[in-house]
């Protein structure tokens, strides 16, 4: 695929429930990123994978957030339990060198808009 | 984390006018990127800059990598209604992570037909 796919596009949940988001990166991209974007702000990195390994999760609230990329392709981000302050857009991006001349830039998916009630 | 300040925060312009926005950082970056985000969608990469002083165009868009490596600007010429959206700058340095991007606060552009 030449685009980053994310699902669901929208999710409404009640606080204390568990939610999960899925991302399928551009085919051949080794690096995958999860960002959180609060309304009116720029995206902020939560976690970065290189293949199946986490290379940066310093900004991931690990008491409630978890992320995995078991086979080094698609990825899941989970929140358990969800809190009111988790309402945001969750964006997935991928990067990689597929062709000569690629600059390893990040390309974003459409995002999952989470609302916690 | 890195702080990137964008200005202006929002702009209202007439169709056909030129637009200019800029981004400044407290730190040096090796790469500057400009993204556009439509409501409810993810950011789309517009222009990438890799060298201080570099001036790059993409259609009606022109961006420059500042000489100090702490700033960048984006110009849009002859704006059209589909230019509406939020424009984000993003910087990448070598200090923290091989490909970590730090995003600005965004410039919301409204084009009045």
């Amino acid at each position: 695929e030449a685009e980053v796919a994310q699902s669901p596009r929208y999710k409404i949940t009640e606080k204390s429930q568990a939610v999960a988001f899925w991302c399928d990166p551009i085919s051949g991209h080794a690096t995958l990123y999860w960002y959180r974007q609060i309304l009116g702000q720029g995206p902020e990195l939560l976690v970065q994978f290189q293949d199946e390994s986490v290379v940066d999760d310093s900004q991931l609230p690990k008491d409630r957030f978890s992320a995995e990329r078991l086979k080094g392709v698609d990825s899941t981000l989970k929140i358990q339990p969800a809190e009111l302050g988790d309402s945001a857009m969750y964006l997935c991006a991928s990067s990689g060198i597929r062709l000569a001349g690629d600059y390893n830039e990040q390309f974003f998916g459409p995002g999952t808009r989470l609302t916690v009630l | 984390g890195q702080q990137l300040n964008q200005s202006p925060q929002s702009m209202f312009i007439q169709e056909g006018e030129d637009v200019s926005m800029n981004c400044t950082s407290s730190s040096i970056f090796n790469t500057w990127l400009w993204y556009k985000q439509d409501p409810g969608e993810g950011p789309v990469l517009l222009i990438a800059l890799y060298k201080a002083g570099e001036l790059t165009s993409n259609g009606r868009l022109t961006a420059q990598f500042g000489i100090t490596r702490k700033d960048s600007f984006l110009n849009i010429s002859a704006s059209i209604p589909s230019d509406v959206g939020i424009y984000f700058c993003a910087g990448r340095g070598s200090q923290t992570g091989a490909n970590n991007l730090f995003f600005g606060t965004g410039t919301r552009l409204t084009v009045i037909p």
Side-chain angles (χ1 to χ4, degrees):
Chain A
E1 287 296 327
E3 294 182 343
V4 177
Q6 288 188 248
S7 67
R9 291 294 308 274
Y10 305 92
K11 180 69 178 178
I12 299 174
T13 191
E14 294 184 341
K15 63 179 181 180
S16 79
Q17 295 298 305
V19 291
F21 314 130
W22 177 79
C23 172
D24 191 13
I26 292 173
S27 179
H29 277 188
T31 312
L32 185 147
Y33 314 78
W34 283 102
Y35 287 85
R36 177 170 57 189
Q37 184 178 25
I38 296 170
L39 193 64
Q41 299 183 18
E44 293 184 324
L45 182 69
L46 290 174
V47 60
Q48 177 182 344
F49 288 91
Q50 181 67 29
D51 299 310
E52 67 276 7
S53 301
V54 173
V55 296
D56 184 358
D57 63 356
S58 56
Q59 301 304 311
L60 188 71
K62 299 180 188 64
D63 56 336
R64 297 184 302 107
F65 286 64
S66 64
E68 59 183 19
R69 194 185 184 198
L70 293 177
K71 297 182 180 178
V73 180
D74 59 338
S75 175
T76 302
L77 178 69
K78 297 179 182 177
I79 309 174
Q80 182 174 17
E83 295 181 353
L84 295 177
D86 296 333
S87 294
M89 174 81 94
Y90 289 83
L91 294 161
C92 180
S94 70
S95 68
I97 307 289
R98 296 189 302 158
L99 301 170
D102 280 357
Y103 280 91
N104 203 29
E105 297 307 342
Q106 296 183 32
F107 295 89
F108 286 81
T112 297
R113 168 74 67 190
L114 173 66
T115 301
V116 182
L117 303 176
Chain B
Q2 311 284 348
Q3 294 290 327
L4 274 69
N5 297 307
Q6 275 187 252
S7 65
Q9 278 190 316
S10 62
M11 304 179 71
F12 291 80
I13 62 167
Q14 290 288 141
E15 182 177 358
E17 288 184 349
D18 296 344
V19 173
S20 184
M21 60 190 79
N22 66 69
C23 190
T24 59
S25 167
S26 57
S27 303
I28 289 173
F29 285 115
N30 296 328
T31 301
W32 282 96
L33 306 170
W34 286 91
Y35 287 84
K36 177 176 182 271
Q37 187 173 27
D38 292 331
E41 300 293 332
V44 174
L45 182 62
L46 299 174
I47 289 182
L49 302 156
Y50 300 105
K51 198 164 61 171
E54 180 181 355
L55 186 71
T56 297
S57 292
N58 178 8
R60 293 179 296 106
L61 277 61
T62 302
Q64 185 160 27
F65 192 142
I67 291 291
T68 65
R69 294 165 63 193
K70 291 185 176 182
D71 62 336
S72 176
F73 73 75
L74 175 70
N75 285 344
I76 305 172
S77 63
S79 59
I80 59 177
S82 62
D83 291 335
V84 165
I86 303 176
Y87 291 80
F88 288 99
C89 63
R92 180 171 63 228
S94 58
Q95 305 95 317
T96 53
N99 199 17
N100 283 6
L101 286 182
F102 298 93
F103 282 81
T105 48
T107 294
R108 181 181 295 275
L109 177 64
T110 301
V111 179
I112 303 167

